[in-house]
Amino acid sequence: MESTSSPAAQKFVVSHLREGDFKAGGLRRYSAYRDLGVAEATQGLAQAHVIRMVEPFRPELSVRHHHEVQFQMVYCLKGWFETEFEGVGRQRLVAGSSWVQPPGIRHTVVGWSDDCELLEIYLPATHATLNDD
């Protein structure tokens, strides 16, 4: 059966690991981000990046916030990452585990390992992140 809707044109993009592709200046100053080219390939429909923690965790980095997204998934590539979610409690990702965060769920990052790397996928590619404090 054919779909009657016409999705935005997408293009082929490949992303190979290059250490120089990790850039600071993303959402959090304690992280470096490697853009995987998904936003470009999907004309902003979705975004995917690898997040590398570049500073040790400190309690003052914990800020309660939420993202105005339609979908968000986080997969732990390396190390561990822990977050407190409103109505859910503390959850810890370890290498090989993932979670899907419902749109707008309020949460606070409460720790990560020094070697933590995450894959994050969300849509749309551009969205607001609002601090709740």
Side-chain angles (χ1 to χ4, degrees):
M1 179 185 287
E2 280 190 42
S3 172
T4 56
S5 66
S6 83
Q10 296 181 24
K11 66 181 183 176
F12 180 84
V13 171
V14 64
S15 176
H16 296 287
L17 175 61
R18 289 188 304 257
E19 287 300 316
D21 288 345
F22 282 90
K23 307 289 184 208
L27 179 61
R28 305 281 181 240
R29 74 174 191 272
Y30 52 76
S31 303
Y33 296 80
R34 178 179 155 227
D35 185 345
L36 299 178
V38 172
E40 177 189 353
T42 64
Q43 295 188 37
L45 174 69
Q47 172 64 290
H49 49 235
V50 175
I51 305 169
R52 179 180 285 168
M53 301 309 154
V54 294
E55 291 184 25
F57 177 77
R58 299 182 313 276
E60 61 269 20
L61 298 175
S62 291
V63 176
R64 188 171 179 79
H65 64 283
H66 67 279
H67 309 283
E68 293 185 342
V69 294
Q70 296 169 7
F71 172 82
Q72 184 173 11
M73 183 200 129
V74 179
Y75 178 88
C76 187
L77 298 165
K78 235 169 123 173
W80 60 268
F81 187 79
E82 190 168 331
T83 300
E84 171 84 27
F85 291 97
E86 182 177 69
V88 176
R90 281 185 180 222
Q91 298 294 314
R92 178 178 280 211
L93 290 177
V94 296
S97 59
S98 67
W99 60 49
V100 173
Q101 295 175 217
I105 190 169
R106 282 149 172 78
H107 56 284
T108 306
V109 174
V110 294
W112 59 76
S113 63
D114 290 341
D115 63 343
C116 181
E117 286 190 12
L118 306 169
L119 169 65
E120 182 178 52
I121 302 169
Y122 54 83
L123 60 103
T126 303
H127 66 276
T129 294
L130 305 170
N131 289 345
D132 296 330
D133 294 336

